[in-house]
Amino acid sequence: MQVDTLITNIGQLLPMDHNGPVKGIAMNELTVWENAAVGIKKDQVVWIGSTDETDQVTANHVIDAGGKLVSPGLVEPHTHLVFGGSREREMALKQKGVPYLEILQKGGGILSTVKATQKATHEELVDKALFHLDRMAMHGITTVEAKSGYGLDRETERKQLEVVKEVKGKHPLDIVSTFLGAHAIPPEFKQDPEAFLDQMADMFDEIKEEKLAEFVDIFTETGVFTVEQSRRYLQKAKDRGFRVKMHADEIDPLGGTELAVEMGAISGDHLAVSSDEGINRLANSDTIGVILPGTSFYLGKDTYARARKMIDAGAAVSISTDFNPGSCVTENLQLIMSIAALKLNMSPEEIWHAVTVNAAHAIGRGDEAGSIAIGRKADIVIWDAPNYMYIPYHYGVNHVNTVIKNGNVLYQRQEIR
Ligand code: IZC
Ligand code: ZN
């Protein structure tokens, strides 16, 4: 067989080839092929075999993986990619013990990013998003979900969604757009959050027609939107043909996990304080639990999502950075893999399912991203690691050696000596 690129001498290959999200104890069963090789033609994987069988393949270009680990490109299912400004000045408040929701109530937090995003030009936001996407790519991510939600008015929410659309055309990573107009209550609507939600829901039709977003999301939280408000808003989104997501049970246990399941959400995200009942319902549903343990860590909390209970009960779990300027300021999903090992007690096998196949299903990309399989897009990472357990183990640094996106080398670690 003739291929464009052949990756040979792969120490461990993680194909992650599944027909759907991987649930419950199956998350702990990881298929690993040793001494493997992968052939790529144009943007697709066309051949997978043993390094000993590569005489069957003629390649224009050979990459010797040198016995390293090779995985699918990581899938990042929850980011607030497009925003103006930054919030480093709030770190001192957090150190004094001022809670996240109190900072928000006083007009800081999300609302301070909203002001900066309203002020920023389209071009500034595009440049900033491209910068963060480059950094995600360098850390092994090849597909990213991106939310709006720092506009909280029609014009700025549109601006954010249009930035995502432009960035999609400019950046090699695949980007999946989510409308999070319901991210906070703007001060002018403090007395009437329902009217604000109506205004955001009035944007659904144009967003659908112009294909500006695939998913609709809401922040269901104390001082933000109630479960009842969220139910009504998400039902409207579903009636307009959107699949829905939720920021559920991040800080206060309001029953957001139960609502995500009730609404048939593609994912319920955060779930840091889900109830037992919420976890049971999640486990018996098709909703994927996207856990963001970096936010618990970054907000200085002792409470982490009960991932063990979720997986043991049978749920499909994914993990994500939640990259945003307030509650988790990192593009490094590998760091989150370590936090998942240390604070969620997830096994390395579970963690790899969480950042590939399950993350892809959480953003409706289960058919194209998150696996290495014949006929699939060639989104592949070669890691400076001897095995899959090594990535969560050696924490806080970038282990990427090479990122291949759509069959082409997108990033390669540079030698400095
Ligand atoms: O900007 O603080 N939780 N939304 C809900 C966030 C965190 C992002 C932010
Ligand atoms: Zn979020």
Side-chain angles (χ1 to χ4, degrees):
M1 177 183 273
Q2 174 72 40
V3 301
D4 296 326
T5 304
L6 180 70
I7 312 173
T8 61
N9 199 13
I10 298 170
Q12 287 194 340
L13 176 72
L14 307 183
M16 314 304 300
D17 188 11
H18 300 273
N19 291 326
V22 180
K23 300 182 75 170
I25 52 171
M27 285 185 72
N28 202 34
E29 291 157 23
L30 187 68
T31 301
V32 182
W33 291 339
E34 306 214 321
N35 193 32
V38 174
I40 300 167
K41 208 169 190 166
K42 295 199 176 118
D43 62 348
Q44 275 189 8
V45 172
V46 292
W47 186 87
I48 303 177
S50 158
T51 294
D52 304 332
E53 300 167 330
T54 47
D55 51 357
Q56 301 171 6
V57 182
T58 348
N60 297 334
H61 175 52
V62 176
I63 300 176
D64 183 343
K68 294 177 194 291
L69 169 71
V70 169
S71 79
L74 304 184
V75 179
E76 168 52 91
H78 182 137
T79 82
H80 301 252
L81 175 70
V82 180
F83 57 87
S86 55
R87 310 211 305 248
E88 61 273 33
R89 284 175 182 80
E90 286 177 8
M91 203 151 185
L93 289 176
K94 285 184 193 149
Q95 285 167 326
K96 281 186 197 133
V98 186
Y100 174 85
L101 289 178
E102 196 178 315
I103 297 174
L104 176 60
Q105 283 311 319
K106 292 189 170 141
I110 296 173
L111 293 174
S112 102
T113 302
V114 167
K115 276 187 208 132
T117 308
Q118 286 170 341
K119 254 193 229 148
T121 65
H122 175 92
E123 290 69 28
E124 284 164 353
L125 293 174
V126 167
D127 285 348
K128 206 163 149 76
L130 289 171
F131 175 82
H132 294 301
L133 280 170
D134 282 355
R135 203 176 258 166
M136 288 178 193
M138 289 176 205
H139 283 85
I141 292 167
T142 50
T143 301
V144 183
E145 187 255 16
K147 301 178 194 296
S148 68
Y150 294 123
L152 308 187
D153 64 38
R154 191 188 166 83
E155 192 190 333
T156 318
E157 284 295 322
R158 266 203 76 100
K159 181 167 73 178
Q160 276 192 283
L161 294 171
E162 282 164 1
V163 165
V164 171
K165 192 168 180 176
E166 181 161 345
V167 161
K168 270 189 197 183
K170 282 195 159 156
H171 202 279
L173 293 201
D174 283 312
I175 303 164
V176 176
S177 178
T178 295
F179 177 54
L180 178 60
H183 190 196
I185 305 168
E188 62 275 23
F189 281 94
K190 218 166 180 172
Q191 302 314 319
D192 198 358
E194 309 274 350
F196 173 67
L197 286 179
D198 287 346
Q199 203 173 86
M200 290 295 109
D202 281 345
M203 294 179 67
F204 288 163
D205 285 336
E206 63 188 79
I207 291 170
K208 192 85 198 165
E209 270 159 35
E210 296 173 54
K211 295 193 168 69
L212 285 172
E214 280 177 57
F215 301 104
V216 167
D217 195 344
I218 188 164
F219 189 15
T220 305
E221 189 56 76
T222 304
V224 193
F225 301 107
T226 65
V227 164
E228 291 69 32
Q229 289 164 345
S230 304
R231 181 184 286 113
R232 235 172 320 176
Y233 181 77
L234 293 177
Q235 188 56 51
K236 279 191 198 168
K238 284 174 68 174
D239 293 344
R240 305 297 212 296
F242 287 101
R243 292 216 61 187
V244 299
K245 291 179 162 279
M246 276 181 70
H247 282 66
D249 294 331
E250 176 183 0
I251 294 160
D252 288 337
L254 301 186
T257 312
E258 288 88 330
L259 183 64
V261 172
E262 177 192 323
M263 301 308 292
I266 190 163
S267 69
D269 298 36
H270 282 291
L271 316 185
V273 291
S274 300
S275 68
D276 288 349
E277 179 61 21
I279 290 175
N280 276 331
R281 292 200 197 165
L282 182 76
N284 291 298
S285 76
D286 292 328
T287 299
I288 296 177
V290 177
I291 301 180
L292 313 165
T295 62
S296 306
F297 171 74
Y298 199 79
L299 295 178
K301 294 190 174 290
D302 298 324
T303 312
Y304 284 81
R306 291 185 288 164
R308 268 282 40 90
K309 198 170 167 77
M310 290 176 201
I311 294 172
D312 295 344
V317 164
S318 173
I319 57 173
S320 155
T321 57
D322 192 16
F323 174 66
N324 74 72
S327 64
C328 192
V329 198
T330 183
E331 296 93 337
N332 185 358
L333 188 52
Q334 297 163 57
L335 172 62
I336 305 305
M337 292 168 77
S338 295
I339 298 178
L342 295 167
K343 295 293 185 183
L344 304 180
N345 245 335
M346 286 173 69
S347 69
E349 293 81 5
E350 291 165 343
I351 289 168
W352 277 101
H353 286 100
V355 293
T356 55
V357 52
N358 285 3
H361 281 284
I363 53 173
R365 290 297 183 279
D367 290 342
E368 47 183 274
S371 71
I372 298 176
I374 289 171
R376 293 281 190 107
K377 217 155 42 173
D379 291 353
I380 295 172
V381 179
I382 304 173
W383 301 91
D384 283 320
N387 59 62
Y388 69 86
M389 287 177 269
Y390 194 88
I391 305 299
Y393 152 75
H394 184 151
Y395 85 111
V397 296
N398 187 10
H399 294 285
V400 167
N401 179 281
T402 304
V403 178
I404 295 169
K405 175 66 192 163
N406 294 326
N408 298 312
V409 172
L410 178 63
Y411 170 77
Q412 201 147 29
R413 176 173 60 75
Q414 297 295 309
E415 300 287 350
I416 58 168
R417 58 176 162 77

